[in-house]
PDB file of all heavy atoms in Angstrom:
ATOM      1  N   SER W   1       5.543 -25.821   4.417  1.00  0.00           N
ATOM      2  CA  SER W   1       5.951 -26.281   3.144  1.00  0.00           C
ATOM      3  C   SER W   1       7.257 -25.719   2.711  1.00  0.00           C
ATOM      4  O   SER W   1       7.661 -24.625   3.170  1.00  0.00           O
ATOM      5  CB  SER W   1       4.866 -25.848   2.240  1.00  0.00           C
ATOM      6  OG  SER W   1       4.645 -24.500   2.244  1.00  0.00           O
ATOM      7  N   LEU W   2       7.861 -26.402   1.840  1.00  0.00           N
ATOM      8  CA  LEU W   2       9.201 -26.007   1.379  1.00  0.00           C
ATOM      9  C   LEU W   2       9.108 -24.770   0.491  1.00  0.00           C
ATOM     10  O   LEU W   2       8.057 -24.625  -0.376  1.00  0.00           O
ATOM     11  CB  LEU W   2       9.828 -27.149   0.531  1.00  0.00           C
ATOM     12  CG  LEU W   2      10.183 -28.428   1.267  1.00  0.00           C
ATOM     13  CD1 LEU W   2      10.725 -29.529   0.403  1.00  0.00           C
ATOM     14  CD2 LEU W   2      11.222 -28.068   2.388  1.00  0.00           C
ATOM     15  N   MET W   3       9.965 -23.903   0.508  1.00  0.00           N
ATOM     16  CA  MET W   3       9.877 -22.650  -0.298  1.00  0.00           C
ATOM     17  C   MET W   3      11.378 -22.362  -0.749  1.00  0.00           C
ATOM     18  O   MET W   3      12.263 -22.489   0.185  1.00  0.00           O
ATOM     19  CB  MET W   3       9.286 -21.565   0.562  1.00  0.00           C
ATOM     20  CG  MET W   3       9.083 -20.255  -0.251  1.00  0.00           C
ATOM     21  SD  MET W   3       8.414 -18.795   0.838  1.00  0.00           S
ATOM     22  CE  MET W   3       6.836 -19.629   1.291  1.00  0.00           C
ATOM     23  N   GLN W   4      11.532 -21.791  -1.911  1.00  0.00           N
ATOM     24  CA  GLN W   4      12.856 -21.380  -2.292  1.00  0.00           C
ATOM     25  C   GLN W   4      13.275 -20.181  -1.418  1.00  0.00           C
ATOM     26  O   GLN W   4      12.497 -19.354  -0.966  1.00  0.00           O
ATOM     27  CB  GLN W   4      12.736 -20.944  -3.760  1.00  0.00           C
ATOM     28  CG  GLN W   4      12.506 -22.088  -4.732  1.00  0.00           C
ATOM     29  CD  GLN W   4      12.451 -21.675  -6.136  1.00  0.00           C
ATOM     30  OE1 GLN W   4      12.698 -20.401  -6.416  1.00  0.00           O
ATOM     31  NE2 GLN W   4      12.213 -22.531  -7.014  1.00  0.00           N
ATOM     32  N   THR W   5      14.733 -20.194  -1.250  1.00  0.00           N
ATOM     33  CA  THR W   5      15.253 -19.103  -0.476  1.00  0.00           C
ATOM     34  C   THR W   5      14.984 -17.737  -0.986  1.00  0.00           C
ATOM     35  O   THR W   5      14.712 -16.763  -0.274  1.00  0.00           O
ATOM     36  CB  THR W   5      16.699 -19.362  -0.282  1.00  0.00           C
ATOM     37  OG1 THR W   5      17.064 -20.626   0.103  1.00  0.00           O
ATOM     38  CG2 THR W   5      17.387 -18.372   0.637  1.00  0.00           C
ATOM     39  N   SER W   6      15.002 -17.661  -2.307  1.00  0.00           N
ATOM     40  CA  SER W   6      14.746 -16.328  -2.846  1.00  0.00           C
ATOM     41  C   SER W   6      13.380 -15.824  -2.638  1.00  0.00           C
ATOM     42  O   SER W   6      13.142 -14.717  -2.438  1.00  0.00           O
ATOM     43  CB  SER W   6      15.021 -16.389  -4.384  1.00  0.00           C
ATOM     44  OG  SER W   6      14.194 -17.364  -5.025  1.00  0.00           O
ATOM     45  N   ASP W   7      12.383 -16.817  -2.636  1.00  0.00           N
ATOM     46  CA  ASP W   7      11.021 -16.450  -2.298  1.00  0.00           C
ATOM     47  C   ASP W   7      10.860 -16.018  -0.880  1.00  0.00           C
ATOM     48  O   ASP W   7       9.980 -15.201  -0.537  1.00  0.00           O
ATOM     49  CB  ASP W   7      10.100 -17.695  -2.610  1.00  0.00           C
ATOM     50  CG  ASP W   7      10.046 -18.035  -4.088  1.00  0.00           C
ATOM     51  OD1 ASP W   7      10.331 -17.105  -4.927  1.00  0.00           O
ATOM     52  OD2 ASP W   7       9.439 -19.059  -4.427  1.00  0.00           O
ATOM     53  N   LYS W   8      11.583 -16.633  -0.065  1.00  0.00           N
ATOM     54  CA  LYS W   8      11.507 -16.267   1.440  1.00  0.00           C
ATOM     55  C   LYS W   8      11.954 -14.840   1.618  1.00  0.00           C
ATOM     56  O   LYS W   8      11.451 -13.991   2.409  1.00  0.00           O
ATOM     57  CB  LYS W   8      12.319 -17.187   2.253  1.00  0.00           C
ATOM     58  CG  LYS W   8      11.702 -18.588   2.441  1.00  0.00           C
ATOM     59  CD  LYS W   8      12.519 -19.393   3.249  1.00  0.00           C
ATOM     60  CE  LYS W   8      11.997 -20.802   3.554  1.00  0.00           C
ATOM     61  NZ  LYS W   8      12.884 -21.665   4.354  1.00  0.00           N
ATOM     62  N   VAL W   9      13.100 -14.480   0.982  1.00  0.00           N
ATOM     63  CA  VAL W   9      13.621 -13.138   1.092  1.00  0.00           C
ATOM     64  C   VAL W   9      12.639 -12.088   0.422  1.00  0.00           C
ATOM     65  O   VAL W   9      12.387 -11.017   1.108  1.00  0.00           O
ATOM     66  CB  VAL W   9      14.952 -13.086   0.212  1.00  0.00           C
ATOM     67  CG1 VAL W   9      15.475 -11.708   0.225  1.00  0.00           C
ATOM     68  CG2 VAL W   9      15.984 -14.006   0.963  1.00  0.00           C
ATOM     69  N   LEU W  10      12.077 -12.410  -0.734  1.00  0.00           N
ATOM     70  CA  LEU W  10      11.107 -11.412  -1.461  1.00  0.00           C
ATOM     71  C   LEU W  10       9.821 -11.316  -0.489  1.00  0.00           C
ATOM     72  O   LEU W  10       9.238 -10.278  -0.483  1.00  0.00           O
ATOM     73  CB  LEU W  10      10.806 -11.955  -2.734  1.00  0.00           C
ATOM     74  CG  LEU W  10      11.980 -11.711  -3.736  1.00  0.00           C
ATOM     75  CD1 LEU W  10      11.585 -12.275  -5.132  1.00  0.00           C
ATOM     76  CD2 LEU W  10      12.316 -10.259  -3.944  1.00  0.00           C
ATOM     77  N   LEU W  11       9.448 -12.433   0.110  1.00  0.00           N
ATOM     78  CA  LEU W  11       8.262 -12.430   0.977  1.00  0.00           C
ATOM     79  C   LEU W  11       8.406 -11.453   2.123  1.00  0.00           C
ATOM     80  O   LEU W  11       7.502 -10.769   2.650  1.00  0.00           O
ATOM     81  CB  LEU W  11       7.871 -13.830   1.394  1.00  0.00           C
ATOM     82  CG  LEU W  11       6.588 -14.026   1.988  1.00  0.00           C
ATOM     83  CD1 LEU W  11       5.496 -13.595   0.998  1.00  0.00           C
ATOM     84  CD2 LEU W  11       6.306 -15.476   2.435  1.00  0.00           C
ATOM     85  N   ARG W  12       9.695 -11.387   2.694  1.00  0.00           N
ATOM     86  CA  ARG W  12       9.970 -10.415   3.762  1.00  0.00           C
ATOM     87  C   ARG W  12       9.886  -8.975   3.330  1.00  0.00           C
ATOM     88  O   ARG W  12       9.761  -7.986   4.063  1.00  0.00           O
ATOM     89  CB  ARG W  12      11.345 -10.698   4.254  1.00  0.00           C
ATOM     90  CG  ARG W  12      11.421 -12.110   4.988  1.00  0.00           C
ATOM     91  CD  ARG W  12      12.846 -12.355   5.456  1.00  0.00           C
ATOM     92  NE  ARG W  12      12.908 -13.706   5.945  1.00  0.00           N
ATOM     93  CZ  ARG W  12      14.166 -14.275   6.245  1.00  0.00           C
ATOM     94  NH1 ARG W  12      15.338 -13.641   5.929  1.00  0.00           N
ATOM     95  NH2 ARG W  12      14.163 -15.420   6.698  1.00  0.00           N
ATOM     96  N   LYS W  13      10.090  -8.822   2.016  1.00  0.00           N
ATOM     97  CA  LYS W  13      10.097  -7.402   1.350  1.00  0.00           C
ATOM     98  C   LYS W  13       8.602  -7.076   1.042  1.00  0.00           C
ATOM     99  O   LYS W  13       8.465  -6.002   0.351  1.00  0.00           O
ATOM    100  CB  LYS W  13      10.998  -7.375   0.192  1.00  0.00           C
ATOM    101  CG  LYS W  13      12.426  -7.665   0.484  1.00  0.00           C
ATOM    102  CD  LYS W  13      12.980  -6.331   1.267  1.00  0.00           C
ATOM    103  CE  LYS W  13      14.492  -6.654   1.599  1.00  0.00           C
ATOM    104  NZ  LYS W  13      15.010  -5.463   2.315  1.00  0.00           N
ATOM    105  N   ARG W  14       7.630  -7.862   1.311  1.00  0.00           N
ATOM    106  CA  ARG W  14       6.347  -7.474   0.964  1.00  0.00           C
ATOM    107  C   ARG W  14       5.731  -6.224   1.584  1.00  0.00           C
ATOM    108  O   ARG W  14       4.772  -5.559   1.023  1.00  0.00           O
ATOM    109  CB  ARG W  14       5.258  -8.644   1.321  1.00  0.00           C
ATOM    110  CG  ARG W  14       3.956  -8.732   0.603  1.00  0.00           C
ATOM    111  CD  ARG W  14       3.039  -9.418   1.373  1.00  0.00           C
ATOM    112  NE  ARG W  14       2.760  -8.909   2.668  1.00  0.00           N
ATOM    113  CZ  ARG W  14       1.866  -7.850   2.855  1.00  0.00           C
ATOM    114  NH1 ARG W  14       1.297  -7.339   1.876  1.00  0.00           N
ATOM    115  NH2 ARG W  14       1.760  -7.379   4.111  1.00  0.00           N
ATOM    116  N   ALA W  15       6.387  -5.678   2.591  1.00  0.00           N
ATOM    117  CA  ALA W  15       5.986  -4.430   3.227  1.00  0.00           C
ATOM    118  C   ALA W  15       6.169  -3.223   2.249  1.00  0.00           C
ATOM    119  O   ALA W  15       5.605  -2.121   2.521  1.00  0.00           O
ATOM    120  CB  ALA W  15       6.864  -4.209   4.468  1.00  0.00           C
ATOM    121  N   LEU W  16       6.880  -3.503   1.100  1.00  0.00           N
ATOM    122  CA  LEU W  16       7.019  -2.423   0.052  1.00  0.00           C
ATOM    123  C   LEU W  16       5.556  -1.878  -0.410  1.00  0.00           C
ATOM    124  O   LEU W  16       5.481  -0.759  -0.536  1.00  0.00           O
ATOM    125  CB  LEU W  16       7.923  -3.013  -1.006  1.00  0.00           C
ATOM    126  CG  LEU W  16       8.042  -1.965  -2.306  1.00  0.00           C
ATOM    127  CD1 LEU W  16       8.853  -0.826  -1.812  1.00  0.00           C
ATOM    128  CD2 LEU W  16       8.604  -2.721  -3.552  1.00  0.00           C
ATOM    129  N   VAL W  17       4.738  -2.869  -0.666  1.00  0.00           N
ATOM    130  CA  VAL W  17       3.454  -2.397  -1.246  1.00  0.00           C
ATOM    131  C   VAL W  17       2.712  -1.614  -0.038  1.00  0.00           C
ATOM    132  O   VAL W  17       1.893  -0.629  -0.332  1.00  0.00           O
ATOM    133  CB  VAL W  17       2.720  -3.595  -1.530  1.00  0.00           C
ATOM    134  CG1 VAL W  17       2.342  -4.561  -0.431  1.00  0.00           C
ATOM    135  CG2 VAL W  17       1.425  -3.252  -2.291  1.00  0.00           C
ATOM    136  N   GLU W  18       2.890  -1.903   1.242  1.00  0.00           N
ATOM    137  CA  GLU W  18       2.242  -1.115   2.263  1.00  0.00           C
ATOM    138  C   GLU W  18       2.842   0.205   2.366  1.00  0.00           C
ATOM    139  O   GLU W  18       2.138   1.198   2.728  1.00  0.00           O
ATOM    140  CB  GLU W  18       2.452  -1.845   3.566  1.00  0.00           C
ATOM    141  CG  GLU W  18       1.733  -3.255   3.692  1.00  0.00           C
ATOM    142  CD  GLU W  18       2.011  -3.936   4.992  1.00  0.00           C
ATOM    143  OE1 GLU W  18       2.719  -3.396   5.815  1.00  0.00           O
ATOM    144  OE2 GLU W  18       1.535  -5.128   5.099  1.00  0.00           O
ATOM    145  N   THR W  19       4.043   0.425   2.053  1.00  0.00           N
ATOM    146  CA  THR W  19       4.683   1.772   2.002  1.00  0.00           C
ATOM    147  C   THR W  19       4.086   2.611   0.871  1.00  0.00           C
ATOM    148  O   THR W  19       3.868   3.773   0.934  1.00  0.00           O
ATOM    149  CB  THR W  19       6.212   1.523   1.753  1.00  0.00           C
ATOM    150  OG1 THR W  19       6.748   0.805   2.774  1.00  0.00           O
ATOM    151  CG2 THR W  19       6.909   3.008   1.835  1.00  0.00           C
ATOM    152  N   VAL W  20       3.860   1.875  -0.216  1.00  0.00           N
ATOM    153  CA  VAL W  20       3.241   2.626  -1.340  1.00  0.00           C
ATOM    154  C   VAL W  20       1.777   2.998  -0.961  1.00  0.00           C
ATOM    155  O   VAL W  20       1.348   4.177  -1.238  1.00  0.00           O
ATOM    156  CB  VAL W  20       3.109   1.700  -2.617  1.00  0.00           C
ATOM    157  CG1 VAL W  20       2.328   2.420  -3.736  1.00  0.00           C
ATOM    158  CG2 VAL W  20       4.437   1.334  -3.018  1.00  0.00           C
ATOM    159  N   ASN W  21       0.971   2.206  -0.344  1.00  0.00           N
ATOM    160  CA  ASN W  21      -0.255   2.635   0.181  1.00  0.00           C
ATOM    161  C   ASN W  21      -0.226   3.778   1.162  1.00  0.00           C
ATOM    162  O   ASN W  21      -1.001   4.691   1.076  1.00  0.00           O
ATOM    163  CB  ASN W  21      -1.021   1.406   0.883  1.00  0.00           C
ATOM    164  CG  ASN W  21      -1.452   0.418  -0.049  1.00  0.00           C
ATOM    165  OD1 ASN W  21      -1.855   0.665  -1.250  1.00  0.00           O
ATOM    166  ND2 ASN W  21      -1.519  -0.887   0.316  1.00  0.00           N
ATOM    167  N   ASP W  22       0.851   3.770   1.932  1.00  0.00           N
ATOM    168  CA  ASP W  22       1.036   4.914   2.972  1.00  0.00           C
ATOM    169  C   ASP W  22       1.323   6.162   2.179  1.00  0.00           C
ATOM    170  O   ASP W  22       0.785   7.257   2.542  1.00  0.00           O
ATOM    171  CB  ASP W  22       2.149   4.659   3.870  1.00  0.00           C
ATOM    172  CG  ASP W  22       2.403   5.597   4.888  1.00  0.00           C
ATOM    173  OD1 ASP W  22       1.499   5.705   5.810  1.00  0.00           O
ATOM    174  OD2 ASP W  22       3.447   6.362   4.861  1.00  0.00           O
ATOM    175  N   GLU W  23       2.110   6.159   1.157  1.00  0.00           N
ATOM    176  CA  GLU W  23       2.379   7.246   0.335  1.00  0.00           C
ATOM    177  C   GLU W  23       1.073   7.890  -0.398  1.00  0.00           C
ATOM    178  O   GLU W  23       0.800   9.079  -0.361  1.00  0.00           O
ATOM    179  CB  GLU W  23       3.378   6.979  -0.801  1.00  0.00           C
ATOM    180  CG  GLU W  23       4.838   6.853  -0.264  1.00  0.00           C
ATOM    181  CD  GLU W  23       5.529   8.180  -0.195  1.00  0.00           C
ATOM    182  OE1 GLU W  23       5.011   9.187  -0.561  1.00  0.00           O
ATOM    183  OE2 GLU W  23       6.635   8.165   0.402  1.00  0.00           O
ATOM    184  N   LEU W  24       0.302   6.977  -0.856  1.00  0.00           N
ATOM    185  CA  LEU W  24      -0.906   7.322  -1.631  1.00  0.00           C
ATOM    186  C   LEU W  24      -1.992   8.084  -0.586  1.00  0.00           C
ATOM    187  O   LEU W  24      -2.553   9.002  -1.007  1.00  0.00           O
ATOM    188  CB  LEU W  24      -1.600   6.146  -2.205  1.00  0.00           C
ATOM    189  CG  LEU W  24      -0.918   5.504  -3.433  1.00  0.00           C
ATOM    190  CD1 LEU W  24      -1.558   4.206  -3.765  1.00  0.00           C
ATOM    191  CD2 LEU W  24      -0.827   6.430  -4.569  1.00  0.00           C
ATOM    192  N   LYS W  25      -1.940   7.541   0.574  1.00  0.00           N
ATOM    193  CA  LYS W  25      -2.887   8.087   1.601  1.00  0.00           C
ATOM    194  C   LYS W  25      -2.376   9.371   2.222  1.00  0.00           C
ATOM    195  O   LYS W  25      -3.118  10.438   2.378  1.00  0.00           O
ATOM    196  CB  LYS W  25      -3.130   7.012   2.729  1.00  0.00           C
ATOM    197  CG  LYS W  25      -4.202   5.963   2.229  1.00  0.00           C
ATOM    198  CD  LYS W  25      -4.477   5.146   3.456  1.00  0.00           C
ATOM    199  CE  LYS W  25      -5.425   4.005   3.075  1.00  0.00           C
ATOM    200  NZ  LYS W  25      -5.918   3.216   4.230  1.00  0.00           N
ATOM    201  N   ASN W  26      -1.249   9.404   2.688  1.00  0.00           N
ATOM    202  CA  ASN W  26      -0.734  10.568   3.406  1.00  0.00           C
ATOM    203  C   ASN W  26      -0.110  11.675   2.580  1.00  0.00           C
ATOM    204  O   ASN W  26      -0.238  12.843   2.967  1.00  0.00           O
ATOM    205  CB  ASN W  26       0.390  10.090   4.455  1.00  0.00           C
ATOM    206  CG  ASN W  26      -0.169   9.132   5.383  1.00  0.00           C
ATOM    207  OD1 ASN W  26      -1.237   9.266   5.814  1.00  0.00           O
ATOM    208  ND2 ASN W  26       0.574   8.097   5.792  1.00  0.00           N
ATOM    209  N   THR W  27       0.408  11.320   1.467  1.00  0.00           N
ATOM    210  CA  THR W  27       1.040  12.402   0.590  1.00  0.00           C
ATOM    211  C   THR W  27       0.055  12.808  -0.552  1.00  0.00           C
ATOM    212  O   THR W  27      -0.064  14.089  -0.709  1.00  0.00           O
ATOM    213  CB  THR W  27       2.322  11.839  -0.213  1.00  0.00           C
ATOM    214  OG1 THR W  27       3.190  11.269   0.818  1.00  0.00           O
ATOM    215  CG2 THR W  27       3.035  12.901  -0.959  1.00  0.00           C
ATOM    216  N   TYR W  28      -0.678  11.964  -1.080  1.00  0.00           N
ATOM    217  CA  TYR W  28      -1.592  12.323  -2.204  1.00  0.00           C
ATOM    218  C   TYR W  28      -3.101  12.287  -1.824  1.00  0.00           C
ATOM    219  O   TYR W  28      -3.880  12.400  -2.629  1.00  0.00           O
ATOM    220  CB  TYR W  28      -1.397  11.408  -3.425  1.00  0.00           C
ATOM    221  CG  TYR W  28       0.111  11.504  -3.851  1.00  0.00           C
ATOM    222  CD1 TYR W  28       0.998  10.507  -3.666  1.00  0.00           C
ATOM    223  CD2 TYR W  28       0.484  12.604  -4.535  1.00  0.00           C
ATOM    224  CE1 TYR W  28       2.355  10.601  -4.018  1.00  0.00           C
ATOM    225  CE2 TYR W  28       1.875  12.786  -4.977  1.00  0.00           C
ATOM    226  CZ  TYR W  28       2.729  11.840  -4.677  1.00  0.00           C
ATOM    227  OH  TYR W  28       4.045  11.897  -5.061  1.00  0.00           O
ATOM    228  N   GLN W  29      -3.376  12.012  -0.541  1.00  0.00           N
ATOM    229  CA  GLN W  29      -4.543  12.052   0.018  1.00  0.00           C
ATOM    230  C   GLN W  29      -5.770  11.384  -0.757  1.00  0.00           C
ATOM    231  O   GLN W  29      -6.741  12.049  -0.996  1.00  0.00           O
ATOM    232  CB  GLN W  29      -4.923  13.626   0.314  1.00  0.00           C
ATOM    233  CG  GLN W  29      -3.975  14.238   1.262  1.00  0.00           C
ATOM    234  CD  GLN W  29      -4.213  15.797   1.407  1.00  0.00           C
ATOM    235  OE1 GLN W  29      -5.218  16.256   0.835  1.00  0.00           O
ATOM    236  NE2 GLN W  29      -3.424  16.387   2.166  1.00  0.00           N
ATOM    237  N   ILE W  30      -5.535  10.160  -1.072  1.00  0.00           N
ATOM    238  CA  ILE W  30      -6.638   9.504  -1.804  1.00  0.00           C
ATOM    239  C   ILE W  30      -7.764   9.083  -0.819  1.00  0.00           C
ATOM    240  O   ILE W  30      -8.862   8.733  -1.225  1.00  0.00           O
ATOM    241  CB  ILE W  30      -6.134   8.243  -2.513  1.00  0.00           C
ATOM    242  CG1 ILE W  30      -5.669   7.207  -1.553  1.00  0.00           C
ATOM    243  CG2 ILE W  30      -5.145   8.644  -3.575  1.00  0.00           C
ATOM    244  CD1 ILE W  30      -5.162   5.921  -2.174  1.00  0.00           C
ATOM    245  N   GLU W  31      -7.500   9.186   0.418  1.00  0.00           N
ATOM    246  CA  GLU W  31      -8.487   8.870   1.571  1.00  0.00           C
ATOM    247  C   GLU W  31      -8.687  10.101   2.368  1.00  0.00           C
ATOM    248  O   GLU W  31      -7.798  10.656   2.971  1.00  0.00           O
ATOM    249  CB  GLU W  31      -8.018   7.705   2.399  1.00  0.00           C
ATOM    250  CG  GLU W  31      -9.030   7.387   3.494  1.00  0.00           C
ATOM    251  CD  GLU W  31      -8.430   6.454   4.507  1.00  0.00           C
ATOM    252  OE1 GLU W  31      -7.374   6.597   4.881  1.00  0.00           O
ATOM    253  OE2 GLU W  31      -9.135   5.470   4.967  1.00  0.00           O
ATOM    254  N   HIS W  32     -10.042  10.611   2.370  1.00  0.00           N
ATOM    255  CA  HIS W  32     -10.416  11.668   3.236  1.00  0.00           C
ATOM    256  C   HIS W  32     -12.009  11.567   3.377  1.00  0.00           C
ATOM    257  O   HIS W  32     -12.561  10.888   2.619  1.00  0.00           O
ATOM    258  CB  HIS W  32      -9.942  13.077   2.894  1.00  0.00           C
ATOM    259  CG  HIS W  32     -10.505  13.518   1.527  1.00  0.00           C
ATOM    260  ND1 HIS W  32     -11.687  14.006   1.433  1.00  0.00           N
ATOM    261  CD2 HIS W  32      -9.834  13.566   0.358  1.00  0.00           C
ATOM    262  CE1 HIS W  32     -11.856  14.437   0.129  1.00  0.00           C
ATOM    263  NE2 HIS W  32     -10.758  14.088  -0.480  1.00  0.00           N
ATOM    264  N   THR W  33     -12.566  12.304   4.290  1.00  0.00           N
ATOM    265  CA  THR W  33     -13.971  12.226   4.544  1.00  0.00           C
ATOM    266  C   THR W  33     -14.800  13.404   4.097  1.00  0.00           C
ATOM    267  O   THR W  33     -15.857  13.799   4.614  1.00  0.00           O
ATOM    268  CB  THR W  33     -14.277  11.916   6.007  1.00  0.00           C
ATOM    269  OG1 THR W  33     -13.612  12.942   6.831  1.00  0.00           O
ATOM    270  CG2 THR W  33     -13.545  10.575   6.505  1.00  0.00           C
ATOM    271  N   ARG W  34     -14.176  14.234   3.148  1.00  0.00           N
ATOM    272  CA  ARG W  34     -14.767  15.422   2.721  1.00  0.00           C
ATOM    273  C   ARG W  34     -15.461  15.344   1.369  1.00  0.00           C
ATOM    274  O   ARG W  34     -15.782  16.399   0.765  1.00  0.00           O
ATOM    275  CB  ARG W  34     -13.794  16.518   2.700  1.00  0.00           C
ATOM    276  CG  ARG W  34     -13.104  16.749   4.048  1.00  0.00           C
ATOM    277  CD  ARG W  34     -12.156  18.001   4.109  1.00  0.00           C
ATOM    278  NE  ARG W  34     -11.066  17.723   3.116  1.00  0.00           N
ATOM    279  CZ  ARG W  34     -10.021  17.055   3.311  1.00  0.00           C
ATOM    280  NH1 ARG W  34      -9.777  16.433   4.500  1.00  0.00           N
ATOM    281  NH2 ARG W  34      -9.084  16.960   2.435  1.00  0.00           N
ATOM    282  N   HIS W  35     -15.648  14.125   0.787  1.00  0.00           N
ATOM    283  CA  HIS W  35     -16.255  13.985  -0.513  1.00  0.00           C
ATOM    284  C   HIS W  35     -17.692  14.321  -0.397  1.00  0.00           C
ATOM    285  O   HIS W  35     -18.390  13.917   0.541  1.00  0.00           O
ATOM    286  CB  HIS W  35     -16.012  12.522  -1.053  1.00  0.00           C
ATOM    287  CG  HIS W  35     -14.562  12.240  -1.283  1.00  0.00           C
ATOM    288  ND1 HIS W  35     -13.769  12.787  -2.239  1.00  0.00           N
ATOM    289  CD2 HIS W  35     -13.785  11.236  -0.713  1.00  0.00           C
ATOM    290  CE1 HIS W  35     -12.632  12.236  -2.186  1.00  0.00           C
ATOM    291  NE2 HIS W  35     -12.590  11.333  -1.331  1.00  0.00           N
ATOM    292  N   ARG W  36     -18.216  14.875  -1.491  1.00  0.00           N
ATOM    293  CA  ARG W  36     -19.506  15.254  -1.589  1.00  0.00           C
ATOM    294  C   ARG W  36     -20.363  14.495  -2.716  1.00  0.00           C
ATOM    295  O   ARG W  36     -21.510  14.725  -2.920  1.00  0.00           O
ATOM    296  CB  ARG W  36     -19.793  16.719  -1.787  1.00  0.00           C
ATOM    297  CG  ARG W  36     -19.371  17.412  -0.391  1.00  0.00           C
ATOM    298  CD  ARG W  36     -20.216  17.101   0.680  1.00  0.00           C
ATOM    299  NE  ARG W  36     -19.778  17.730   1.959  1.00  0.00           N
ATOM    300  CZ  ARG W  36     -18.998  17.099   2.858  1.00  0.00           C
ATOM    301  NH1 ARG W  36     -18.583  15.798   2.652  1.00  0.00           N
ATOM    302  NH2 ARG W  36     -18.603  17.635   4.028  1.00  0.00           N
ATOM    303  N   SER W  37     -19.627  13.666  -3.548  1.00  0.00           N
ATOM    304  CA  SER W  37     -20.256  12.802  -4.532  1.00  0.00           C
ATOM    305  C   SER W  37     -19.306  11.694  -4.900  1.00  0.00           C
ATOM    306  O   SER W  37     -18.174  11.693  -4.622  1.00  0.00           O
ATOM    307  CB  SER W  37     -20.544  13.667  -5.772  1.00  0.00           C
ATOM    308  OG  SER W  37     -19.308  14.005  -6.463  1.00  0.00           O
ATOM    309  N   VAL W  38     -19.876  10.684  -5.480  1.00  0.00           N
ATOM    310  CA  VAL W  38     -19.046   9.470  -5.886  1.00  0.00           C
ATOM    311  C   VAL W  38     -18.274   9.893  -7.030  1.00  0.00           C
ATOM    312  O   VAL W  38     -17.013   9.326  -7.054  1.00  0.00           O
ATOM    313  CB  VAL W  38     -20.063   8.395  -6.299  1.00  0.00           C
ATOM    314  CG1 VAL W  38     -19.232   7.164  -6.832  1.00  0.00           C
ATOM    315  CG2 VAL W  38     -21.043   8.032  -5.263  1.00  0.00           C
ATOM    316  N   ASP W  39     -18.617  10.708  -7.919  1.00  0.00           N
ATOM    317  CA  ASP W  39     -17.834  11.073  -9.056  1.00  0.00           C
ATOM    318  C   ASP W  39     -16.471  11.822  -8.590  1.00  0.00           C
ATOM    319  O   ASP W  39     -15.358  11.561  -8.958  1.00  0.00           O
ATOM    320  CB  ASP W  39     -18.530  12.062 -10.003  1.00  0.00           C
ATOM    321  CG  ASP W  39     -19.726  11.285 -10.681  1.00  0.00           C
ATOM    322  OD1 ASP W  39     -19.630  10.140 -10.830  1.00  0.00           O
ATOM    323  OD2 ASP W  39     -20.707  12.013 -11.045  1.00  0.00           O
ATOM    324  N   ASN W  40     -16.613  12.618  -7.610  1.00  0.00           N
ATOM    325  CA  ASN W  40     -15.408  13.409  -7.081  1.00  0.00           C
ATOM    326  C   ASN W  40     -14.487  12.458  -6.249  1.00  0.00           C
ATOM    327  O   ASN W  40     -13.348  12.715  -6.252  1.00  0.00           O
ATOM    328  CB  ASN W  40     -15.824  14.501  -6.266  1.00  0.00           C
ATOM    329  CG  ASN W  40     -16.383  15.668  -7.095  1.00  0.00           C
ATOM    330  OD1 ASN W  40     -16.210  15.758  -8.281  1.00  0.00           O
ATOM    331  ND2 ASN W  40     -17.101  16.626  -6.471  1.00  0.00           N
TER     332      ASN W  40
END
């Protein structure tokens, strides 16, 4: 399907959100297996 050139360029930059997820997991440790309750 036809797509604007600007949309194609920004679509290639979608990896930005994956970089944010990587920061949240590796730097701020929102994912680990040591939780002992849902609240925590």
Side-chain angles (χ1 to χ4, degrees):
S1 59
L2 294 176
M3 184 184 298
Q4 294 182 1
T5 307
S6 58
D7 291 345
K8 290 183 179 179
V9 174
L10 288 173
L11 194 57
R12 294 172 187 170
K13 296 293 184 179
R14 199 200 61 81
L16 175 67
V17 66
E18 297 177 359
T19 305
V20 174
N21 285 329
D22 184 71
E23 286 279 351
L24 291 172
K25 285 187 173 183
N26 296 325
T27 305
Y28 301 105
Q29 299 180 359
I30 64 171
E31 179 191 41
H32 63 79
T33 58
R34 302 182 301 277
H35 295 296
R36 293 297 174 263
S37 70
V38 180
D39 295 334
N40 287 343

